[in-house]
Amino acid sequence: METYKLEGGQLMRIEGPAKVLVRSGRIYAVGNIYTVGKAFTVLRARKLVIKALEDSVIEITLGDNANIEPASPEEEVIDVWEESVSKLRLENSLILIFGAMDVGKSTLTVLIANKALNDGRSVAVIDADVGQNDVGPPTTIALTRIKSPITHLRQLSAEKLIFIQTTSVERIWDRVIKAIHKLVNYARESWSIDTIIVNTDGWISGDEAVRYKAQMVEELSPTHVIILRRESETNKLIEELKAESVIVLPAPFSARVRSREDRKIHRDMGYGRFLFPIREVSLDLHRVRIANLPVLWDNEVKEEFKALLSRMVRMRIYHAYQYRDRIYAIAGTSQWSIKRIPNGFLYILPEEWESGLLVGLEDADGFLVGLGMLKKIYYDRGKAIVIISEKLEQRMRAVKAMRIGFIRLNDRYEEAEKVYNLIRYEV
Ligand SMILES: Nc1ncnc2c1ncn2[C@@H]1O[C@H](COP(=O)(O)OP(=O)(O)OP(=O)(O)O)[C@@H](O)[C@H]1O
Ligand SMILES: [Mg+2]
Protein backbone atom coordinates (compact mmCIF):
# COMPACT_ATOMS: atom_id res chain seq x y z
CA MET A 1 0.00 0.00 0.00
CA GLU A 2 1.32 3.43 -0.97
CA THR A 3 0.16 6.91 -0.12
CA TYR A 4 0.04 9.61 -2.79
CA LYS A 5 -0.57 13.31 -2.62
CA LEU A 6 -2.43 14.82 -5.55
CA GLU A 7 -2.86 18.51 -6.19
CA GLY A 8 -6.24 19.86 -7.16
CA GLY A 9 -6.74 19.19 -10.89
CA GLN A 10 -4.04 16.54 -11.07
CA LEU A 11 -4.76 13.33 -13.04
CA MET A 12 -3.46 9.84 -12.44
CA ARG A 13 -3.81 6.76 -14.66
CA ILE A 14 -4.17 3.51 -12.76
CA GLU A 15 -3.87 0.06 -14.26
CA GLY A 16 -5.48 -2.60 -12.09
CA PRO A 17 -5.79 -4.66 -10.07
CA ALA A 18 -5.81 -1.82 -7.59
CA LYS A 19 -7.83 -0.47 -4.72
CA VAL A 20 -7.95 3.25 -4.08
CA LEU A 21 -8.96 4.75 -0.74
CA VAL A 22 -9.47 8.48 -0.28
CA ARG A 23 -7.72 9.76 2.87
CA SER A 24 -8.40 13.44 2.32
CA GLY A 25 -9.88 15.64 -0.38
CA ARG A 26 -12.15 14.51 -3.21
CA ILE A 27 -11.39 12.18 -6.11
CA TYR A 28 -13.36 11.98 -9.36
CA ALA A 29 -13.53 8.68 -11.26
CA VAL A 30 -15.97 7.70 -14.03
CA GLY A 31 -18.74 10.09 -13.02
CA ASN A 32 -18.42 9.54 -9.27
CA ILE A 33 -16.96 11.74 -6.60
CA TYR A 34 -15.27 9.78 -3.81
CA THR A 35 -14.93 11.63 -0.51
CA VAL A 36 -12.87 10.85 2.61
CA GLY A 37 -13.10 7.19 3.63
CA LYS A 38 -14.59 6.10 0.30
CA ALA A 39 -12.86 3.51 -1.87
CA PHE A 40 -13.09 2.06 -5.37
CA THR A 41 -11.38 -0.66 -7.36
CA VAL A 42 -9.69 -0.82 -10.73
CA LEU A 43 -9.95 -4.30 -12.22
CA ARG A 44 -7.08 -6.36 -13.53
CA ALA A 45 -5.72 -5.30 -16.92
CA ARG A 46 -8.07 -2.32 -16.99
CA LYS A 47 -7.06 1.30 -16.84
CA LEU A 48 -8.87 4.15 -15.24
CA VAL A 49 -7.99 7.82 -15.09
CA ILE A 50 -8.85 9.64 -11.88
CA LYS A 51 -8.79 13.33 -11.04
CA ALA A 52 -8.22 15.13 -7.75
CA LEU A 53 -10.94 17.78 -7.46
CA GLU A 54 -8.92 19.50 -4.71
CA ASP A 55 -5.66 18.74 -2.91
CA SER A 56 -6.12 15.12 -1.87
CA VAL A 57 -4.35 12.17 -0.33
CA ILE A 58 -5.08 8.65 -1.53
CA GLU A 59 -3.90 5.20 -0.53
CA ILE A 60 -3.44 2.75 -3.37
CA THR A 61 -3.06 -0.99 -2.95
CA LEU A 62 -1.63 -2.43 -6.14
CA GLY A 63 -1.99 -6.09 -7.14
CA ASP A 64 0.15 -8.15 -9.55
CA ASN A 65 1.18 -6.23 -12.68
CA ALA A 66 -0.70 -3.18 -11.51
CA ASN A 67 0.73 0.18 -12.37
CA ILE A 68 0.19 3.88 -11.88
CA GLU A 69 1.38 6.77 -13.97
CA PRO A 70 0.73 10.47 -14.21
CA ALA A 71 -1.68 11.52 -16.94
CA SER A 72 -1.71 14.94 -18.54
CA PRO A 73 -4.93 16.92 -18.89
CA GLU A 74 -4.11 17.76 -22.53
CA GLU A 75 -4.07 14.15 -23.64
CA GLU A 76 -6.87 12.83 -21.45
CA VAL A 77 -10.56 12.85 -22.24
CA ILE A 78 -11.82 12.87 -18.66
CA ASP A 79 -12.99 16.51 -18.70
CA VAL A 80 -14.49 16.45 -22.19
CA TRP A 81 -16.45 13.32 -21.38
CA GLU A 82 -17.67 14.63 -18.04
CA GLU A 83 -18.69 17.95 -19.55
CA SER A 84 -20.70 16.50 -22.42
CA VAL A 85 -22.36 13.84 -20.32
CA SER A 86 -23.37 16.57 -17.84
CA LYS A 87 -25.32 18.27 -20.61
CA LEU A 88 -27.35 15.18 -21.53
CA ARG A 89 -31.00 15.12 -20.56
CA LEU A 90 -31.22 11.79 -18.80
CA GLU A 91 -34.92 11.80 -17.96
CA ASN A 92 -36.67 9.10 -20.00
CA SER A 93 -33.57 8.62 -22.06
CA LEU A 94 -32.23 5.85 -24.23
CA ILE A 95 -28.57 6.31 -25.07
CA LEU A 96 -26.67 4.27 -27.64
CA ILE A 97 -22.87 4.12 -27.44
CA PHE A 98 -21.09 3.40 -30.72
CA GLY A 99 -17.39 3.04 -31.45
CA ALA A 100 -14.70 0.65 -32.65
CA MET A 101 -12.99 -1.86 -30.37
CA ASP A 102 -11.15 -0.56 -27.31
CA VAL A 103 -12.20 3.07 -27.66
CA GLY A 104 -13.77 3.23 -24.21
CA LYS A 105 -17.40 2.26 -24.90
CA SER A 106 -17.72 0.26 -21.71
CA THR A 107 -16.05 2.99 -19.68
CA LEU A 108 -18.35 5.67 -21.09
CA THR A 109 -21.35 3.46 -20.36
CA VAL A 110 -20.24 3.29 -16.73
CA LEU A 111 -19.73 7.07 -16.58
CA ILE A 112 -23.23 7.82 -17.84
CA ALA A 113 -24.78 5.17 -15.60
CA ASN A 114 -23.06 6.59 -12.52
CA LYS A 115 -24.07 10.14 -13.31
CA ALA A 116 -27.68 9.17 -13.90
CA LEU A 117 -27.68 7.23 -10.65
CA ASN A 118 -26.17 10.17 -8.77
CA ASP A 119 -28.96 12.35 -10.23
CA GLY A 120 -31.43 10.03 -8.53
CA ARG A 121 -32.60 8.24 -11.66
CA SER A 122 -33.37 4.57 -12.07
CA VAL A 123 -30.77 3.25 -14.44
CA ALA A 124 -30.38 0.15 -16.59
CA VAL A 125 -27.55 -0.92 -18.83
CA ILE A 126 -27.82 -3.16 -21.87
CA ASP A 127 -24.54 -4.73 -22.86
CA ALA A 128 -25.04 -5.60 -26.51
CA ASP A 129 -21.37 -6.26 -27.22
CA VAL A 130 -21.85 -9.98 -27.89
CA GLY A 131 -18.16 -10.73 -28.38
CA GLN A 132 -16.82 -8.77 -25.41
CA ASN A 133 -19.80 -8.73 -23.12
CA ASP A 134 -18.86 -7.36 -19.71
CA VAL A 135 -22.18 -8.13 -18.02
CA GLY A 136 -23.21 -11.50 -19.45
CA PRO A 137 -21.46 -14.41 -21.14
CA PRO A 138 -20.19 -14.09 -24.71
CA THR A 139 -22.92 -14.76 -27.33
CA THR A 140 -25.50 -12.91 -25.25
CA ILE A 141 -27.01 -9.49 -24.79
CA ALA A 142 -27.47 -8.59 -21.16
CA LEU A 143 -29.76 -6.24 -19.26
CA THR A 144 -29.25 -5.18 -15.68
CA ARG A 145 -30.08 -2.38 -13.29
CA ILE A 146 -27.43 -0.37 -11.48
CA LYS A 147 -28.12 0.23 -7.81
CA SER A 148 -24.81 1.69 -6.61
CA PRO A 149 -21.82 3.39 -8.26
CA ILE A 150 -19.36 1.16 -10.12
CA THR A 151 -16.02 1.57 -11.85
CA HIS A 152 -16.38 -1.24 -14.42
CA LEU A 153 -19.32 -2.88 -16.19
CA ARG A 154 -17.81 -6.23 -15.18
CA GLN A 155 -18.96 -5.53 -11.63
CA LEU A 156 -22.58 -5.97 -12.69
CA SER A 157 -24.36 -9.24 -13.19
CA ALA A 158 -27.09 -9.79 -15.74
CA GLU A 159 -30.73 -9.82 -14.73
CA LYS A 160 -32.11 -10.65 -18.19
CA LEU A 161 -30.21 -12.24 -21.06
CA ILE A 162 -30.95 -12.97 -24.70
CA PHE A 163 -28.95 -15.61 -26.55
CA ILE A 164 -27.50 -14.37 -29.85
CA GLN A 165 -25.91 -17.72 -30.82
CA THR A 166 -22.51 -16.37 -31.88
CA THR A 167 -19.87 -13.81 -30.95
CA SER A 168 -19.72 -11.87 -34.20
CA VAL A 169 -22.74 -9.90 -35.27
CA GLU A 170 -22.02 -9.68 -39.02
CA ARG A 171 -24.52 -12.29 -40.20
CA ILE A 172 -27.15 -11.85 -37.56
CA TRP A 173 -27.31 -8.13 -36.85
CA ASP A 174 -31.05 -7.94 -37.38
CA ARG A 175 -31.42 -10.32 -34.41
CA VAL A 176 -29.17 -8.12 -32.31
CA ILE A 177 -31.38 -5.09 -32.93
CA LYS A 178 -34.53 -7.09 -32.11
CA ALA A 179 -32.99 -8.40 -28.91
CA ILE A 180 -31.95 -4.92 -27.75
CA HIS A 181 -35.45 -3.68 -28.53
CA LYS A 182 -36.98 -6.45 -26.47
CA LEU A 183 -34.74 -5.65 -23.50
CA VAL A 184 -35.45 -1.91 -23.77
CA ASN A 185 -39.18 -2.66 -23.67
CA TYR A 186 -38.71 -5.01 -20.76
CA ALA A 187 -36.77 -2.43 -18.74
CA ARG A 188 -39.37 0.24 -19.40
CA GLU A 189 -42.44 -1.90 -18.81
CA SER A 190 -41.30 -4.06 -15.92
CA TRP A 191 -39.03 -1.67 -14.05
CA SER A 192 -40.13 1.83 -15.18
CA ILE A 193 -36.53 2.75 -15.86
CA ASP A 194 -35.58 6.43 -16.49
CA THR A 195 -32.24 5.99 -18.17
CA ILE A 196 -31.18 3.10 -20.40
CA ILE A 197 -27.65 2.98 -21.76
CA VAL A 198 -26.79 0.54 -24.54
CA ASN A 199 -23.17 -0.51 -24.98
CA THR A 200 -22.69 -1.95 -28.48
CA ASP A 201 -20.20 -4.08 -30.40
CA GLY A 202 -17.22 -2.52 -32.18
CA TRP A 203 -18.32 -3.28 -35.76
CA ILE A 204 -18.69 0.17 -37.25
CA SER A 205 -16.50 0.39 -40.37
CA GLY A 206 -17.69 -0.68 -43.79
CA ASP A 207 -21.01 -0.23 -45.55
CA GLU A 208 -22.85 -3.06 -43.88
CA ALA A 209 -21.71 -2.10 -40.39
CA VAL A 210 -22.93 1.43 -41.05
CA ARG A 211 -26.26 0.09 -42.29
CA TYR A 212 -26.55 -2.04 -39.17
CA LYS A 213 -25.93 0.83 -36.79
CA ALA A 214 -28.20 3.16 -38.77
CA GLN A 215 -30.94 0.55 -38.64
CA MET A 216 -30.45 0.22 -34.91
CA VAL A 217 -30.95 3.96 -34.50
CA GLU A 218 -34.01 3.84 -36.72
CA GLU A 219 -35.64 0.98 -34.81
CA LEU A 220 -34.80 2.03 -31.28
CA SER A 221 -35.35 5.81 -31.61
CA PRO A 222 -32.77 6.66 -28.95
CA THR A 223 -32.75 10.08 -27.31
CA HIS A 224 -28.98 10.25 -27.81
CA VAL A 225 -26.34 8.51 -29.87
CA ILE A 226 -22.76 8.91 -28.70
CA ILE A 227 -19.97 7.96 -31.06
CA LEU A 228 -16.47 7.45 -29.73
CA ARG A 229 -13.94 8.32 -32.35
CA ARG A 230 -10.26 7.44 -32.45
CA GLU A 231 -9.33 8.52 -35.98
CA SER A 232 -11.37 8.34 -39.16
CA GLU A 233 -12.96 4.94 -38.56
CA THR A 234 -16.34 6.39 -37.64
CA ASN A 235 -16.58 9.00 -40.42
CA LYS A 236 -19.06 7.09 -42.56
CA LEU A 237 -21.25 6.31 -39.62
CA ILE A 238 -21.25 9.91 -38.43
CA GLU A 239 -22.17 11.06 -41.91
CA GLU A 240 -24.95 8.51 -42.20
CA LEU A 241 -26.46 9.51 -38.86
CA LYS A 242 -25.98 13.23 -39.12
CA ALA A 243 -29.69 13.97 -39.16
CA GLU A 244 -30.03 12.41 -35.70
CA SER A 245 -28.88 13.87 -32.43
CA VAL A 246 -25.38 12.47 -32.50
CA ILE A 247 -22.61 13.44 -30.11
CA VAL A 248 -19.05 12.64 -31.12
CA LEU A 249 -16.47 12.23 -28.36
CA PRO A 250 -12.75 11.42 -28.51
CA ALA A 251 -11.40 8.02 -27.41
CA PRO A 252 -8.97 7.90 -24.48
CA PHE A 253 -5.48 8.50 -25.72
CA SER A 254 -3.75 5.44 -24.33
CA ALA A 255 -6.58 2.96 -24.15
CA ARG A 256 -5.32 -0.58 -23.95
CA VAL A 257 -5.64 -2.34 -27.27
CA ARG A 258 -6.22 -6.03 -26.87
CA SER A 259 -4.96 -8.39 -29.52
CA ARG A 260 -7.29 -10.76 -31.33
CA GLU A 261 -5.64 -13.68 -29.55
CA ASP A 262 -6.13 -11.97 -26.20
CA ARG A 263 -9.80 -11.47 -26.99
CA LYS A 264 -10.17 -15.09 -27.98
CA ILE A 265 -8.55 -16.22 -24.74
CA HIS A 266 -10.94 -13.97 -22.87
CA ARG A 267 -13.87 -15.62 -24.66
CA ASP A 268 -12.57 -19.19 -24.38
CA MET A 269 -12.34 -18.78 -20.64
CA GLY A 270 -15.80 -17.33 -20.89
CA TYR A 271 -17.54 -20.60 -21.88
CA GLY A 272 -15.82 -22.62 -19.20
CA ARG A 273 -16.86 -20.03 -16.67
CA PHE A 274 -20.52 -20.51 -17.50
CA LEU A 275 -20.43 -24.32 -17.67
CA PHE A 276 -18.33 -25.21 -14.64
CA PRO A 277 -18.81 -27.15 -12.49
CA ILE A 278 -20.39 -29.25 -15.20
CA ARG A 279 -23.41 -31.52 -15.09
CA GLU A 280 -24.62 -33.77 -17.87
CA VAL A 281 -28.38 -33.73 -18.20
CA SER A 282 -30.84 -35.45 -20.48
CA LEU A 283 -33.46 -33.11 -21.94
CA ASP A 284 -36.80 -34.36 -23.11
CA LEU A 285 -37.09 -32.62 -26.47
CA HIS A 286 -40.86 -33.01 -26.46
CA ARG A 287 -40.98 -30.78 -23.39
CA VAL A 288 -37.97 -28.57 -24.20
CA ARG A 289 -38.36 -27.93 -27.91
CA ILE A 290 -35.53 -27.09 -30.26
CA ALA A 291 -36.46 -23.47 -30.94
CA ASN A 292 -34.78 -22.79 -34.26
CA LEU A 293 -34.74 -26.13 -36.08
CA PRO A 294 -37.89 -28.14 -36.86
CA VAL A 295 -36.46 -31.40 -35.64
CA LEU A 296 -38.43 -33.61 -33.25
CA TRP A 297 -41.46 -31.36 -33.46
CA ASP A 298 -43.75 -34.41 -33.74
CA ASN A 299 -43.19 -34.16 -37.48
CA GLU A 300 -41.24 -37.28 -38.34
CA VAL A 301 -42.03 -38.56 -41.84
CA LYS A 302 -43.23 -42.10 -42.58
CA GLU A 303 -40.71 -44.93 -43.05
CA GLU A 304 -41.67 -45.44 -46.72
CA PHE A 305 -41.08 -41.78 -47.47
CA LYS A 306 -37.73 -41.85 -45.70
CA ALA A 307 -36.71 -44.88 -47.79
CA LEU A 308 -37.80 -43.07 -50.93
CA LEU A 309 -35.75 -40.01 -50.00
CA SER A 310 -32.74 -42.21 -49.26
CA ARG A 311 -32.90 -43.70 -52.73
CA MET A 312 -33.45 -40.30 -54.28
CA VAL A 313 -30.30 -38.73 -52.80
CA ARG A 314 -28.35 -42.00 -52.53
CA MET A 315 -27.58 -41.43 -48.89
CA ARG A 316 -28.61 -43.25 -45.80
CA ILE A 317 -31.27 -41.18 -44.03
CA TYR A 318 -31.73 -42.03 -40.37
CA HIS A 319 -34.45 -39.59 -39.46
CA ALA A 320 -36.48 -37.08 -41.40
CA TYR A 321 -38.83 -34.33 -40.27
CA GLN A 322 -41.28 -32.34 -42.35
CA TYR A 323 -41.66 -28.58 -42.03
CA ARG A 324 -43.76 -26.82 -44.69
CA ASP A 325 -42.08 -27.60 -48.03
CA ARG A 326 -38.88 -28.70 -46.34
CA ILE A 327 -37.71 -32.08 -45.14
CA TYR A 328 -34.95 -32.03 -42.53
CA ALA A 329 -32.97 -35.25 -42.80
CA ILE A 330 -30.25 -36.61 -40.56
CA ALA A 331 -28.10 -38.45 -43.07
CA GLY A 332 -25.02 -40.63 -43.31
CA THR A 333 -22.76 -37.88 -44.62
CA SER A 334 -20.36 -35.28 -43.32
CA GLN A 335 -21.65 -32.54 -45.64
CA TRP A 336 -24.34 -29.97 -45.07
CA SER A 337 -26.41 -29.56 -48.21
CA ILE A 338 -29.81 -28.41 -49.39
CA LYS A 339 -31.26 -30.33 -52.33
CA ARG A 340 -34.30 -29.76 -54.51
CA ILE A 341 -36.83 -32.57 -54.36
CA PRO A 342 -40.28 -32.78 -55.92
CA ASN A 343 -42.53 -30.25 -54.15
CA GLY A 344 -39.82 -28.82 -51.93
CA PHE A 345 -36.37 -29.05 -50.47
CA LEU A 346 -34.32 -31.55 -48.56
CA TYR A 347 -32.20 -30.02 -45.78
CA ILE A 348 -29.48 -32.53 -45.04
CA LEU A 349 -27.94 -32.51 -41.58
CA PRO A 350 -24.76 -34.57 -41.29
CA GLU A 351 -24.85 -37.19 -38.56
CA GLU A 352 -23.26 -35.72 -35.42
CA TRP A 353 -24.00 -32.21 -36.71
CA GLU A 354 -24.98 -31.30 -33.16
CA SER A 355 -21.91 -32.52 -31.31
CA GLY A 356 -20.38 -29.73 -29.21
CA LEU A 357 -22.69 -26.93 -30.29
CA LEU A 358 -23.27 -24.15 -27.80
CA VAL A 359 -26.97 -23.90 -26.99
CA GLY A 360 -29.13 -21.36 -25.23
CA LEU A 361 -31.68 -22.76 -22.82
CA GLU A 362 -34.59 -20.35 -22.87
CA ASP A 363 -37.66 -19.69 -20.75
CA ALA A 364 -41.23 -19.28 -21.99
CA ASP A 365 -40.57 -15.61 -22.86
CA GLY A 366 -37.45 -16.32 -24.89
CA PHE A 367 -34.99 -15.08 -22.26
CA LEU A 368 -31.87 -17.11 -21.63
CA VAL A 369 -31.89 -19.21 -18.47
CA GLY A 370 -28.39 -20.54 -19.11
CA LEU A 371 -25.91 -21.76 -21.70
CA GLY A 372 -25.23 -25.39 -22.44
CA MET A 373 -23.17 -27.55 -24.73
CA LEU A 374 -25.10 -30.07 -26.79
CA LYS A 375 -23.41 -33.46 -26.83
CA LYS A 376 -25.80 -35.75 -28.63
CA ILE A 377 -29.39 -36.08 -29.75
CA TYR A 378 -31.08 -39.49 -29.42
CA TYR A 379 -33.81 -39.16 -32.02
CA ASP A 380 -35.64 -42.40 -31.21
CA ARG A 381 -35.97 -41.46 -27.56
CA GLY A 382 -36.53 -37.76 -28.25
CA LYS A 383 -33.71 -36.85 -25.85
CA ALA A 384 -30.72 -34.54 -25.93
CA ILE A 385 -27.65 -34.91 -23.75
CA VAL A 386 -26.52 -31.45 -22.74
CA ILE A 387 -23.67 -30.20 -20.56
CA ILE A 388 -24.78 -27.45 -18.23
CA SER A 389 -23.42 -25.93 -15.07
CA GLU A 390 -24.42 -27.32 -11.72
CA LYS A 391 -25.88 -23.91 -10.88
CA LEU A 392 -28.23 -24.09 -13.84
CA GLU A 393 -29.49 -27.51 -12.87
CA GLN A 394 -31.83 -26.10 -10.22
CA ARG A 395 -33.36 -23.70 -12.72
CA MET A 396 -33.97 -26.24 -15.48
CA ARG A 397 -37.68 -26.28 -14.70
CA ALA A 398 -37.94 -22.79 -16.22
CA VAL A 399 -36.35 -23.97 -19.47
CA LYS A 400 -38.92 -24.33 -22.22
CA ALA A 401 -36.79 -24.28 -25.36
CA MET A 402 -33.28 -24.99 -26.58
CA ARG A 403 -31.87 -22.61 -29.19
CA ILE A 404 -28.97 -24.05 -31.16
CA GLY A 405 -25.97 -21.75 -31.44
CA PHE A 406 -23.39 -21.48 -34.21
CA ILE A 407 -20.32 -22.09 -32.07
CA ARG A 408 -18.90 -25.55 -31.75
CA LEU A 409 -16.85 -26.12 -28.62
CA ASN A 410 -14.10 -28.67 -28.18
CA ASP A 411 -13.80 -30.92 -25.15
CA ARG A 412 -12.02 -28.15 -23.25
CA TYR A 413 -15.07 -25.91 -23.89
CA GLU A 414 -13.10 -23.64 -26.20
CA GLU A 415 -14.41 -22.41 -29.53
CA ALA A 416 -13.40 -24.91 -32.21
CA GLU A 417 -15.39 -23.54 -35.17
CA LYS A 418 -18.39 -21.49 -36.18
CA VAL A 419 -21.07 -23.50 -37.97
CA TYR A 420 -22.72 -20.89 -40.13
CA ASN A 421 -24.31 -23.56 -42.32
CA LEU A 422 -26.97 -23.66 -39.65
CA ILE A 423 -28.22 -20.15 -40.47
CA ARG A 424 -29.78 -21.32 -43.74
CA TYR A 425 -31.48 -24.17 -41.91
CA GLU A 426 -33.11 -22.10 -39.22
CA VAL A 427 -36.82 -21.36 -38.99
N1 LIG B 1 -8.55 7.20 -19.89
C1 LIG B 1 -8.04 6.03 -20.18
N2 LIG B 1 -6.73 5.91 -20.48
C2 LIG B 1 -6.22 4.73 -20.79
N3 LIG B 1 -6.90 3.60 -20.84
C3 LIG B 1 -8.20 3.65 -20.56
C4 LIG B 1 -8.84 4.86 -20.21
N4 LIG B 1 -10.14 4.59 -19.99
C5 LIG B 1 -10.30 3.28 -20.19
N5 LIG B 1 -9.14 2.70 -20.53
C6 LIG B 1 -8.88 1.30 -20.82
O1 LIG B 1 -8.98 1.09 -22.22
C7 LIG B 1 -9.49 -0.20 -22.51
C8 LIG B 1 -10.70 -0.07 -23.40
O2 LIG B 1 -11.73 0.59 -22.69
P1 LIG B 1 -13.20 0.00 -22.69
O3 LIG B 1 -13.20 -1.40 -22.25
O4 LIG B 1 -14.05 0.98 -22.00
O5 LIG B 1 -13.43 0.09 -24.26
P2 LIG B 1 -14.44 -0.68 -25.18
O6 LIG B 1 -14.63 0.17 -26.37
O7 LIG B 1 -15.64 -1.06 -24.40
O8 LIG B 1 -13.61 -1.95 -25.55
P3 LIG B 1 -14.12 -3.38 -26.09
O9 LIG B 1 -14.16 -3.24 -27.57
O10 LIG B 1 -13.02 -4.30 -25.63
O11 LIG B 1 -15.43 -3.67 -25.46
C9 LIG B 1 -9.81 -0.84 -21.17
O12 LIG B 1 -8.76 -1.69 -20.80
C10 LIG B 1 -9.91 0.35 -20.25
O13 LIG B 1 -9.64 -0.01 -18.93
MG1 LIG C 1 -16.55 -2.90 -24.04
Side-chain angles (χ1 to χ4, degrees), residues 46 102 104-107 127 129 132-134 153 199-200 258:
R46 303 288 167 123
D102 285 319
K105 297 183 298 295
S106 299
T107 308
D127 198 334
D129 190 351
Q132 304 292 315
N133 202 310
D134 289 302
L153 277 187
N199 178 34
T200 62
R258 274 188 278 178

Side-chain angles (χ1 to χ4, degrees), residues 63-74:
D64 288 344
N65 299 318
N67 186 28
I68 53 169
E69 56 188 9
S72 80
E74 300 81 59

Side-chain angles (χ1 to χ4, degrees), residues 98-100 169-171 173-174 177 200-217 227 233-234 236-238 240-241:
F98 289 160
V169 298
E170 279 88 340
R171 292 161 216 249
W173 54 262
D174 53 327
I177 296 172
T200 62
D201 59 87
W203 187 44
I204 45 136
S205 305
D207 293 343
E208 197 180 349
V210 169
R211 234 182 320 129
Y212 157 45
K213 291 289 157 42
Q215 182 76 25
M216 192 187 291
V217 172
I227 299 179
E233 78 285 359
T234 54
K236 273 196 176 154
L237 180 61
I238 293 168
E240 178 72 27
L241 295 177

Side-chain angles (χ1 to χ4, degrees), residues 165 271 336 350-358 373-374 405-410 413-419 421-422:
Q165 303 165 280
Y271 302 109
W336 298 71
E351 50 186 327
E352 301 194 10
W353 64 275
E354 78 277 24
S355 164
L357 288 178
L358 189 72
M373 184 184 97
L374 183 53
F406 305 129
I407 294 178
R408 199 187 301 280
L409 304 178
N410 61 23
Y413 310 106
E414 298 159 349
E415 179 179 322
E417 61 165 338
K418 290 207 171 91
V419 187
N421 279 316
L422 253 177

Side-chain angles (χ1 to χ4, degrees), residues 286-298:
H286 297 293
R287 189 187 76 79
V288 177
R289 259 203 181 193
I290 298 178
N292 51 339
L293 271 192
V295 166
L296 285 163
W297 286 9
D298 295 323

Side-chain angles (χ1 to χ4, degrees), residues 180-423:
I180 299 172
H181 209 155
K182 180 169 169 172
L183 292 173
V184 167
N185 289 341
Y186 185 91
R188 283 180 176 151
E189 286 157 20
S190 307
W191 300 334
S192 317
I193 288 288
D194 279 333
T195 307
I196 304 174
I197 309 144
V198 184
N199 178 34
T200 62
D201 59 87
W203 187 44
I204 45 136
S205 305
D207 293 343
E208 197 180 349
V210 169
R211 234 182 320 129
Y212 157 45
K213 291 289 157 42
Q215 182 76 25
M216 192 187 291
V217 172
E218 162 116 21
E219 284 190 29
L220 298 176
S221 311
T223 49
H224 312 278
V225 175
I226 306 184
I227 299 179
L228 288 173
R229 171 168 63 187
R230 187 177 288 129
E231 284 160 5
S232 60
E233 78 285 359
T234 54
N235 286 0
K236 273 196 176 154
L237 180 61
I238 293 168
E239 196 173 311
E240 178 72 27
L241 295 177
K242 65 177 175 274
E244 323 284 333
S245 60
V246 173
I247 299 160
V248 180
L249 291 177
F253 143 83
S254 65
R256 205 176 89 96
V257 177
R258 274 188 278 178
S259 67
R260 268 184 177 268
E261 195 50 29
D262 193 13
R263 284 168 183 275
K264 196 159 170 300
I265 288 167
H266 176 85
R267 279 207 295 271
D268 289 344
M269 284 167 40
Y271 302 109
R273 258 194 329 153
F274 291 93
L275 296 175
F276 289 140
I278 66 155
R279 275 276 180 276
E280 199 173 287
V281 294
S282 164
L283 288 187
D284 176 358
L285 293 178
H286 297 293
R287 189 187 76 79
V288 177
R289 259 203 181 193
I290 298 178
N292 51 339
L293 271 192
V295 166
L296 285 163
W297 286 9
D298 295 323
N299 55 345
E300 181 134 31
V301 304
K302 294 216 171 71
E303 280 304 323
E304 308 94 85
F305 189 39
K306 220 161 65 182
L308 179 71
L309 287 170
S310 276
R311 286 197 297 276
M312 211 186 287
V313 294
R314 284 195 223 96
M315 243 180 239
R316 179 126 193 236
I317 291 178
Y318 303 108
H319 300 278
Y321 303 90
Q322 174 119 35
Y323 177 79
R324 300 194 177 156
D325 66 344
R326 302 176 177 185
I327 306 281
Y328 284 75
I330 322 298
T333 171
S334 57
Q335 303 297 316
W336 298 71
S337 59
I338 300 172
K339 297 190 189 300
R340 256 224 92 106
I341 53 172
N343 301 322
F345 299 89
L346 184 65
Y347 282 66
I348 293 173
L349 287 156
E351 50 186 327
E352 301 194 10
W353 64 275
E354 78 277 24
S355 164
L357 288 178
L358 189 72
V359 293
L361 300 166
E362 298 178 339
D363 68 13
D365 300 315
F367 291 114
L368 184 74
V369 184
L371 293 176
M373 184 184 97
L374 183 53
K375 272 185 85 174
K376 192 163 177 55
I377 296 177
Y378 290 99
Y379 299 91
D380 289 330
R381 286 157 43 207
K383 294 262 157 71
I385 305 298
V386 181
I387 303 281
I388 59 167
S389 83
E390 194 178 85
K391 265 184 289 173
L392 180 57
E393 204 175 11
Q394 292 120 42
R395 288 181 291 136
M396 284 304 283
R397 216 183 274 244
V399 172
K400 295 288 185 270
M402 173 169 81
R403 189 172 299 278
I404 315 274
F406 305 129
I407 294 178
R408 199 187 301 280
L409 304 178
N410 61 23
D411 48 15
R412 294 186 303 276
Y413 310 106
E414 298 159 349
E415 179 179 322
E417 61 165 338
K418 290 207 171 91
V419 187
Y420 284 124
N421 279 316
L422 253 177
I423 293 190

